[in-house]
Amino acid sequence: ILFSRQATFVAALDAGDTLVYRLTGKAPGLAGESGDDLLFCDALTGKEKRRVAVALAPIAAFAGLSDAGAKLQSLEFVAGGSVLATLTSRAAPEPVAVLLDGALRPLLAERFTVPTYLAGTQTKTQRRILADRRQVFTVGDTVCLADAQWAGLATARTENLILSLAVDEARQRLAVANYSGHVELFDFSLKRLWRAEVGSAAQLAFLPDGRLAVGTLRGQALLLDAEGKAAWTASLNRYAEPVVVEQRW
């Protein structure tokens, strides 16, 4: 539809007024040129607002990769209007992240050493870019926090594989839940503040007031206060008596 190139949705910006697509591939015809662009469109009309070319060579060079073997895996808009680019290369065992400005010029590249997990893997999950450009992510059973220059890395290990991560930037805290059934809260120096038992791995979300909502894989919902104590807990399992289930509605 778009000049026979592949269009991939990237983000909705400006409170949903602008949609961003990544347009890749070769234009039709013998003279058609290959391209890689970010296309910013009006959400209601589809009219193009602006277009920014993705220049792989300088991004790869900034990350210390050869552009001949590098591929741009993904682009993600993050805090402050920056763009997180993830590159793969035959020379790098794991994808490499580069932070770009709004014009897709390189700002930061990862210079820290990532801890290993089973079989020496270094796969990053649950990645967040904070407002001050620090980066938080998990690797297996370890939560990691990179400094604002992406040069140094603080780590804290838990006792099992981490399923989820939640960040409370306003209070400088982060929480993780692992497959041992524990939720752990850390400050931004990765000092452990408390650990709570919730019975199984869980998904986490901070509420605006700082309390932590927990939903476990066993169908339990909990609300943890600032000290890690359960303010309330409820089962969401459907095998409860019908009258009990209906009371929750």
Side-chain angles (χ1 to χ4, degrees):
I1 296 174
L2 295 174
F3 310 107
S4 297
R5 289 175 172 164
Q6 180 181 356
T8 305
F9 176 75
V10 176
L13 305 179
D14 306 327
D17 290 338
T18 301
L19 301 182
V20 184
Y21 296 90
R22 183 182 174 193
L23 203 60
T24 57
K26 182 180 179 297
L30 294 176
E33 296 182 356
S34 296
D36 191 347
D37 303 275
L38 281 187
L39 199 62
F40 296 76
C41 303
D42 184 271
L44 293 180
T45 66
K47 182 179 179 180
E48 180 179 332
K49 294 183 176 181
R50 65 187 179 99
R51 181 183 300 226
V52 180
V54 180
L56 176 61
I59 298 173
F62 190 82
L65 303 174
S66 168
D67 64 303
K71 294 183 179 180
L72 187 59
Q73 185 180 67
S74 64
L75 293 169
E76 176 188 355
F77 282 81
V78 295
S82 300
V83 180
L84 182 67
T86 305
L87 287 77
T88 59
S89 170
R90 292 188 297 269
E94 297 288 342
V96 177
V98 179
L99 191 67
L100 313 175
D101 64 14
L104 304 187
R105 295 177 297 233
L107 297 172
L108 294 170
E110 294 174 337
R111 309 297 182 191
F112 47 75
T113 301
V114 179
T116 59
Y117 190 51
L118 295 176
T121 58
Q122 296 175 302
T123 303
K124 306 180 193 73
T125 58
Q126 322 285 341
R127 192 200 306 266
R128 308 283 193 281
I129 306 299
L130 307 183
D132 60 3
R133 295 182 177 174
R134 284 184 291 179
Q135 180 183 166
V136 59
F137 56 90
T138 63
V139 178
D141 58 359
T142 303
V143 58
C144 307
L145 182 64
D147 60 27
Q149 290 73 43
W150 292 14
L153 189 71
T155 64
R157 192 172 183 181
T158 70
E159 59 189 10
N160 210 325
L161 178 66
I162 294 172
L163 172 67
S164 62
L165 165 75
V167 179
D168 180 5
E169 287 197 63
R171 296 168 181 81
Q172 301 279 291
R173 305 178 305 163
L174 58 91
V176 295
N178 64 33
Y179 279 93
S180 291
H182 293 133
V183 173
E184 301 186 44
L185 187 78
F186 299 86
D187 63 18
F188 274 12
S189 66
L190 292 191
K191 175 184 176 182
R192 185 178 285 103
L193 302 178
W194 52 254
R195 184 173 73 171
E197 170 66 52
V198 297
S200 73
Q203 294 290 344
L204 308 174
F206 278 107
L207 302 186
D209 62 7
R211 293 182 295 174
L212 184 64
V214 180
T216 76
L217 299 187
R218 293 183 177 176
Q220 291 293 121
L222 303 92
L223 186 64
L224 303 182
D225 63 19
E227 304 302 321
K229 307 299 183 184
W232 58 257
T233 180
S235 173
L236 303 179
N237 292 312
R238 292 289 305 201
Y239 59 73
E241 292 295 327
V243 64
V244 175
V245 175
E246 290 170 4
Q247 285 175 355
R248 302 187 195 127
W249 298 344

